[in-house]
Amino acid sequence: MRLLWIDINASYSHSSLALPALHSQLTEEQSKLAEWRVASGTINSDPASLLLEIAEFNPDIILSTVWLFNHIFVLNLLSKFKKLHPDSVVILGGPEFLEDNHNFLCTNKFIDAVFRGEGEEVFPALFDSIICNCNDSWKSICGVCSLDSSGVYHDNGEAVVKDFTKLNIPEISVFFNWEKPFVQIETSRGCFNNCSFCVSGRNRRVQNISPDDIKERLDFIRSKGIKEVRVLDRTFNANPKRAADLLEIFARYHGSITFHLEIHPAFLVDEFKEKLRNMPAGRLHLEAGLQSLDNKVLKVCKRAGSSEKSIDGIKYIVSLQKFELHIDLIAGLPLYTYSQVIKDIKSLISVGADEIQVELLKLLPGTELREKSDDWGIVYSSFPPYEVLRTDVISQLELYKISVLSKVFDIWYNNNIWKKTFSYIISLNDDFIEVFLEYIINNQLLVNPLSLENKGILLLGFCFKHLKDAVPDIAATWIEAGLSLKKGPGKLAKQWIRGVSDKDNPLFDEAHRFFNYYYIEEEGREFWYAFDKRDKKGKPVKLYKA
């Protein structure tokens, strides 16, 4: 029997753990019962090419995981395939199916069944039943939802892994992808939080893999030459003692592996802080799903941890100057107003967050907030990714502004070249964010992607009109990035020529006859640069600011 797995990811760098996590639960004998094939791609792949690849294999069974961003792509692909090959059995799983699936199956008749919940423990039985039996007995297995030949809906509930620690690890599967820039591992499953907008908690206990087992896995991962590991735990420091123990293990991989962790900054106890302080610089990339700094919003969303403690935790991490800290906010949560979102962004800038991302709320299937959306006046899209359209306290226009603002921050604040200057500009005028956002929207300046040069030219154009004090800093950033002195902000630089210019040059050195000198003089400030004519990189080799 031919079994095909369709693996569609958001981008090339990502890979799904679903197939290796399921396949690793099978015995070697079971695995040999089927002829396996994987059809891989991204949401930007050519569907026609993938369709030909699938048709060439002519599978008896098709399995795939469906989630927010691949949902439409996968359904479009499968609907076409089933038109051509109606006898193939198609079964889908993933977080899209945590609610009642009757309507989905009635609407998408080309899907034979969907699976609700966690599949690892029941997959061997499901696999045996599909491969070894010539009937529909597999449709009675826990988690499977289907329509019978009469159109009657059958729902076998939700499959939940009873003992996460006893599962075979995905890395032992032949389908684990070692070719990507990073790998992902779960060291725990479940979440101590019961956030109304998330499916990870859902009143489920947290199950942890032992530190010794994690170390063994990391040794194996390192042996494969992997340089980056992304830990999928929803809140890495939920158990502070365990988190501190894991940091101690991670520190042993200094120089070989960088770890991405999602933490809650409100729960930085002393032992965890000490381990962070002793970690080698650059070993961690930390993400904090802050969501909001409004305690009323956090309370109604059932999210633990106060905003005051979160800010204290962020300040501590920033003070270490060792790790990048990425922080998420979610616009569209109950009670979360537009003005509060802007206020929170400014607070995060003031404490030195390395990256700030503002996302629109997505009403995920199976979440409490989706079930109670009417209580908060939340209107959301019926199609993936189910983004909020308006709420009782934030309008459609304000959410649009926030979506543009998210792009603004990705372009200038989350960019190592422009971040320092952009933060400085914000500090010059408390209304800068709102005014700059209006300028962007009114002139439709982010309709197309911006090159590195156009990012500087756009920012300079705004500041020439509204904030002249920032002009020298924009020009300085441009020059220090090695961009052209003949374009945009670079044209503000004047060449200093010995014996011709009447200004004193603080960088001039007769011993360096291959140097060219340029300076910027604006608003009573001076920036001086020395360039080596032999260096083709275009960046200054010396600089002086006064």
Side-chain angles (χ1 to χ4, degrees):
M1 187 168 284
R2 294 178 299 276
L3 190 153
L4 176 80
W5 181 276
I6 297 178
D7 182 31
I8 303 299
N9 293 289
S11 67
Y12 170 77
S13 63
H14 288 80
S15 62
S16 171
L17 283 181
L19 174 57
L22 294 173
H23 178 261
S24 63
Q25 309 313 314
L26 301 178
T27 65
E28 187 175 348
E29 291 72 22
Q30 280 179 306
S31 183
K32 289 178 180 178
L33 294 174
E35 180 184 354
W36 296 75
R37 181 76 62 86
V38 179
S40 298
T42 74
I43 54 177
N44 297 313
S45 294
D46 176 18
S49 176
L50 275 171
L51 191 61
L52 282 173
E53 181 183 344
I54 296 168
E56 181 184 358
F57 182 57
N58 191 23
D60 300 297
I61 308 290
I62 296 178
L63 304 177
S64 185
T65 294
V66 174
W67 46 281
L68 283 181
F69 296 106
N70 77 352
H71 183 128
I72 293 174
F73 186 99
V74 171
L75 290 189
N76 178 52
L77 185 67
L78 289 173
S79 67
K80 293 176 181 177
F81 178 78
K82 278 295 282 267
K83 290 271 189 181
L84 299 168
H85 302 269
D87 293 333
S88 293
V89 175
V90 177
I91 307 172
L92 302 180
E96 289 292 88
F97 306 114
L98 290 174
E99 290 185 326
D100 182 277
N101 294 302
H102 183 202
N103 184 61
F104 175 85
L105 290 167
C106 289
T107 305
N108 302 284
K109 293 291 184 64
F110 56 92
I111 305 299
D112 294 277
V114 299
F115 185 86
R116 181 194 293 122
E118 302 166 328
E120 293 101 329
E121 285 183 345
V122 302
F123 186 67
L126 178 64
F127 180 84
D128 277 346
S129 185
I130 292 174
I131 299 298
C132 300
N133 298 327
C134 298
N135 52 42
D136 288 342
S137 61
W138 59 270
K139 291 186 178 181
S140 64
I141 288 176
C142 179
V144 175
C145 302
S146 63
L147 300 176
D148 63 23
S149 57
S150 302
V152 176
Y153 177 62
H154 298 273
D155 190 321
N156 297 323
E158 181 176 350
V160 176
V161 168
K162 295 176 182 176
D163 194 343
F164 175 65
T165 66
K166 295 293 179 59
L167 296 177
N168 294 326
I169 62 174
E171 296 94 275
I172 66 172
S173 169
V174 295
F175 296 110
F176 191 89
N177 195 332
W178 297 102
E179 304 302 318
K180 299 296 184 180
F182 58 86
V183 300
Q184 300 169 309
I185 65 169
E186 285 183 283
T187 73
S188 69
R189 186 171 290 183
C191 184
F192 79 101
N193 253 320
N194 287 305
C195 302
S196 60
F197 52 82
C198 183
V199 299
S200 295
R202 303 181 78 221
N203 299 313
R204 296 267 307 285
R205 67 187 179 93
V206 178
Q207 299 184 66
N208 296 317
I209 296 174
S210 73
D212 287 343
D213 287 342
I214 293 169
K215 184 182 183 306
E216 185 177 337
R217 292 175 71 179
L218 291 176
D219 286 342
F220 180 54
I221 288 170
R222 180 169 58 181
S223 74
K224 295 288 187 177
I226 300 299
K227 302 296 183 184
E228 183 178 315
V229 170
R230 299 193 177 184
V231 179
L232 298 180
D233 301 28
R234 301 313 302 160
T235 307
F236 179 78
N237 60 321
N239 181 331
K241 173 65 170 63
R242 178 175 181 275
D245 290 343
L246 291 184
L247 285 185
E248 189 170 332
I249 290 173
F250 295 168
R252 300 173 191 173
Y253 296 88
H254 177 52
S256 57
I257 298 178
T258 299
F259 295 88
H260 284 227
L261 313 173
E262 184 167 335
I263 65 165
H264 197 318
F267 298 100
L268 300 189
V269 301
D270 289 342
E271 184 179 7
F272 187 71
K273 284 182 177 180
E274 182 182 357
K275 296 297 182 183
L276 282 177
R277 186 168 56 248
N278 293 330
M279 280 291 290
R283 286 300 92 196
L284 302 179
H285 177 97
L286 302 177
E287 297 190 14
L290 206 61
Q291 322 314 3
S292 173
L293 284 172
D294 187 323
N295 285 324
K296 297 191 299 295
V297 174
L298 298 176
K299 183 177 180 180
V300 298
C301 291
K302 300 181 179 179
R303 182 163 180 80
S306 71
S307 61
E308 293 80 11
K309 288 186 176 180
S310 288
I311 286 293
D312 287 343
I314 292 168
K315 286 179 178 177
Y316 177 79
I317 293 170
V318 171
S319 73
L320 297 177
Q321 297 186 330
K322 284 187 170 187
F323 320 115
E324 290 184 347
L325 177 60
H326 173 103
I327 296 180
D328 290 318
L329 298 173
I330 300 180
L333 291 172
L335 305 182
Y336 205 12
T337 65
Y338 177 78
S339 60
Q340 183 65 45
V341 173
I342 299 297
K343 180 181 177 182
D344 288 354
I345 290 171
K346 291 177 181 178
S347 295
L348 295 175
I349 293 170
S350 70
V351 296
D354 293 295
E355 295 180 353
I356 301 171
Q357 183 172 353
V358 191
E359 297 183 346
L360 299 188
L361 172 68
K362 298 169 181 62
L363 273 291
L364 304 177
T367 60
E368 179 184 335
L369 198 52
R370 179 162 168 148
E371 295 172 2
K372 298 181 178 179
S373 57
D374 289 345
D375 295 348
W376 302 104
I378 298 176
V379 179
Y380 65 96
S381 171
S382 301
F383 296 94
Y386 315 113
E387 71 277 8
V388 64
L389 302 175
R390 72 165 185 264
T391 77
D392 277 348
V393 299
I394 195 164
S395 69
Q396 181 184 356
L397 175 59
E398 289 170 331
L399 286 169
Y400 171 71
K401 287 182 178 181
I402 288 172
S403 69
V404 177
L405 183 61
S406 181
K407 295 178 182 178
V408 166
F409 268 71
D410 273 344
I411 291 169
W412 284 285
Y413 187 86
N414 299 340
N415 183 314
N416 287 333
I417 291 175
W418 292 106
K419 179 188 172 183
K420 184 177 179 181
T421 298
F422 196 67
S423 299
Y424 172 70
I425 295 172
I426 292 171
S427 73
L428 292 177
N429 187 330
D430 193 53
D431 296 325
F432 168 77
I433 291 177
E434 295 95 317
V435 176
F436 186 54
L437 184 59
E438 292 291 338
Y439 175 78
I440 293 287
I441 292 173
N442 292 340
N443 294 285
Q444 297 186 325
L445 297 175
L446 298 187
V447 174
N448 297 311
L450 296 178
S451 66
L452 180 58
E453 288 184 341
N454 283 338
K455 292 172 186 176
I457 291 170
L458 192 159
L459 194 58
L460 181 72
F462 172 84
C463 288
F464 258 133
K465 292 181 180 179
H466 301 281
L467 205 57
K468 289 274 288 185
D469 286 351
V471 167
D473 298 271
I474 296 170
T477 300
W478 176 283
I479 292 170
E480 289 162 26
L483 300 177
S484 173
L485 297 178
K486 298 179 181 180
K487 294 181 182 179
K491 292 165 69 175
L492 295 176
K494 303 172 185 176
Q495 187 172 10
W496 183 89
I497 302 174
R498 185 182 184 188
V500 176
S501 301
D502 59 357
K503 295 186 67 65
D504 291 332
N505 183 346
L507 295 179
F508 178 69
D509 187 342
E510 273 194 71
H512 294 96
R513 57 190 181 88
F514 293 106
F515 279 9
N516 282 331
Y517 300 94
Y518 288 83
Y519 66 96
I520 302 167
E521 188 177 30
E522 292 280 342
E523 304 297 324
R525 302 162 67 198
E526 291 186 8
F527 300 79
W528 286 84
Y529 300 97
F531 294 85
D532 191 328
K533 290 183 283 186
R534 299 164 299 180
D535 186 355
K536 303 301 182 184
K537 295 179 181 179
K539 292 186 177 183
V541 293
K542 295 177 71 176
L543 60 88
Y544 173 84
K545 298 180 181 182

